[in-house]
Amino acid sequence: MNDEHNNHGGKRAGSGRKTGTGTYREETSVMRVPNSQKPVISDFLEAYAKKQRLAELKDNLDSIEEFTQLSAELESMSLPLFESKVPAGLPSPADDHVDARMDPNTYLINKADKTFFVTIQGESMIEVGLMPGDKAIIEKDKVPAVGDIVLAMIDGEFTVKTLAKQKDGMPKLLPANTSGRYAPILITQQMQFKIWGVVTGSFRKF
């Protein structure tokens, strides 16, 4: 018989799932276990798979710190908004350059009781202007859409990324750093995934 007949009905070389791409990221084997122990073993394997996923995600997750909830009632502020065409230097109130007055709270915050701040750590979103130490403004009840910057939780870990979709419709989280240090995060059915809110702005103190 030639090779074609030898392979007929068998497994084609190189076919099937590649090693390292399954739930446990390594080769698996079949074993017999008592039926009474199946739940225990299943729970253990689920915890092991979660630990493996987190180890792989760590390099792509910037830690989030200092969750700060706003008061439902913000004190109104009215600060001068200067209109100046001077390339450098500060406009002078005496020069009558005051164009309007602005309340920073109104400008930055839509719903005080649904808004909180988080402190950005890491550099995965620097190309959308989110730098380490910046305060990101998160609106909790804003419906997230593809293209929004969101605060997401993956298996208990928080991260800020741009929301996208995979071909199968599952979410995908994209970094904004073209250095190659951060990879897209592909959300799977095995992950505990939740979007906590949409980033509506940010600010920093120099």
Side-chain angles (χ1 to χ4, degrees):
M1 291 185 179
N2 57 29
D3 289 341
E4 181 179 353
H5 288 97
N6 284 331
N7 291 332
H8 183 69
K11 186 175 180 181
R12 179 173 54 84
S15 64
R17 179 177 290 173
K18 294 181 179 179
T19 300
T21 60
T23 302
Y24 306 106
R25 302 296 193 267
E26 57 185 275
E27 291 185 0
T28 60
S29 59
V30 178
M31 65 179 296
R32 294 182 180 273
V33 298
N35 287 333
S36 63
Q37 297 304 306
K38 281 184 177 180
V40 176
I41 294 173
S42 294
D43 289 345
F44 173 81
L45 290 176
E46 183 178 346
Y48 176 75
K50 181 178 179 180
K51 182 178 179 181
Q52 294 290 93
R53 290 196 304 269
L54 284 175
E56 293 179 0
L57 287 172
K58 281 295 186 181
D59 290 339
N60 297 312
L61 293 178
D62 289 339
S63 61
I64 302 298
E65 297 182 354
E66 298 178 2
F67 282 69
T68 305
Q69 178 67 56
L70 295 182
S71 170
E73 297 181 3
L74 294 178
E75 183 178 347
S76 179
M77 301 175 65
S78 181
L79 302 177
L81 177 63
F82 290 101
E83 180 185 27
S84 176
K85 296 179 174 61
V86 180
L90 292 174
S92 170
D95 292 337
D96 198 25
H97 285 292
V98 177
D99 183 57
R101 301 191 74 83
M102 183 181 73
D103 184 348
N105 292 329
T106 302
Y107 179 73
L108 292 172
I109 300 164
N110 294 319
K111 301 176 181 178
D113 61 335
K114 300 294 183 181
T115 301
F116 59 94
F117 299 149
V118 296
T119 302
I120 299 294
Q121 301 293 322
E123 301 181 344
S124 72
M125 298 298 287
I126 61 175
E127 289 174 16
V128 292
L130 292 176
M131 309 296 289
D134 284 1
K135 305 294 183 182
I137 304 168
I138 313 293
E139 190 171 315
K140 289 189 286 188
D141 66 346
K142 184 176 176 64
V143 178
V146 169
D148 283 344
I149 301 171
V150 299
L151 173 66
M153 184 175 67
I154 308 171
D155 289 339
E157 298 286 337
F158 284 101
T159 188
V160 170
K161 296 287 186 292
T162 300
L163 180 63
K165 278 191 176 182
Q166 303 177 53
K167 291 182 179 179
D168 62 0
M170 291 292 290
K172 175 169 60 175
L173 300 179
L174 303 177
N177 184 324
T178 56
S179 68
R181 291 171 52 197
Y182 301 91
I185 300 172
L186 306 181
I187 305 302
T188 66
Q189 294 285 359
Q190 292 77 26
M191 294 177 177
Q192 295 178 344
F193 175 74
K194 181 179 180 180
I195 294 178
W196 277 52
V198 176
V199 178
T200 58
S202 67
F203 58 95
R204 71 174 62 105
K205 184 177 180 180
F206 291 108

